Amino acid sequence: MTLINDLPAHVLLVHLVVVLVPLTALVLVLAAISRRAARRMGEVLPLLALVSLVSVPLTTQAGEWLERHVTDNALVQRHAELGDGLLPWTAGLFVLAALVWWGARTTTEPRPDAKGTAVWSATPVRVATVVLSLAVAAGAVVDVYRIGDSGAKAAWHDGFSRTASHASTDH
């Protein structure tokens, strides 16, 4: 993708990433903590994570096109470098979302053996899933923030005046 309605596609697609990745992270953590929430969300959780995952390379490719069409500077290069690091985080969100969704669909109650004692417990698996979900969600959100901040600095440095250039007519 290069242009959408004569605007660089990157500046439009980036909004998908900025909204969907943190939303996916939040929903994943909620679903990992609450099986009830995971069941209520159903297929929405992995589908949301899939759309987030797909939006990242689309936005990155559009950004690479834009990078070739703007004045080269260190801020743009830093933004591009940071942007390349988001895909693993969104892949992690997708894998965990699929795992949480699948886990909510299956029964994880311990099965008693012949003596009536539990054969295994789902608690360690659930705790590990919650911890991993929190870590990946936090990493993804922090990365989106860092990428967005560097992109804003690259786009807006020296692009505005700290003082108004025209007298305001608003009262």
Side-chain angles (χ1 to χ4, degrees):
M1 283 196 171
T2 57
L3 297 172
I4 298 174
N5 201 25
D6 291 330
L7 290 173
H10 180 74
V11 299
L12 299 172
L13 293 172
V14 73
H15 292 86
L16 283 174
V17 173
V18 168
V19 171
L20 292 180
V21 172
L23 179 62
T24 301
L26 177 66
V27 171
L28 171 62
V29 169
L30 177 64
I33 291 170
S34 169
R35 290 182 55 90
R36 182 174 182 220
R39 281 191 202 105
R40 291 190 76 188
M41 283 184 253
E43 293 87 16
V44 170
L45 175 60
L47 289 175
L48 180 62
L50 180 62
V51 173
S52 295
L53 177 61
V54 170
S55 71
V56 170
L58 289 175
T59 304
T60 303
Q61 288 173 356
E64 289 170 356
W65 178 88
L66 181 58
E67 184 181 13
R68 291 188 302 271
H69 292 84
V70 297
T71 305
D72 190 31
N73 68 51
L75 294 173
V76 171
Q77 289 174 355
R78 175 72 176 147
H79 176 64
E81 289 169 6
L82 288 172
D84 289 337
L86 186 58
L87 189 58
W89 290 112
T90 55
L93 288 174
F94 175 71
V95 168
L96 286 165
L99 180 67
V100 167
W101 168 75
W102 181 79
R105 295 181 62 235
T106 62
T107 180
T108 57
E109 296 300 318
R111 296 182 203 127
D113 63 8
K115 297 177 188 172
T117 57
V119 174
W120 62 276
S121 172
T123 303
V125 173
R126 292 216 41 228
V127 169
T129 302
V130 169
V131 169
L132 278 172
S133 295
L134 283 167
V136 172
V141 170
V142 167
D143 210 28
V144 165
Y145 171 80
R146 291 177 63 222
I147 296 164
D149 182 61
S150 70
K153 287 176 181 172
W156 289 100
H157 80 284
D158 296 332
F160 68 98
S161 172
R162 294 192 186 275
T163 60
S165 60
H166 301 290
S168 176
T169 58
D170 297 333
H171 293 98

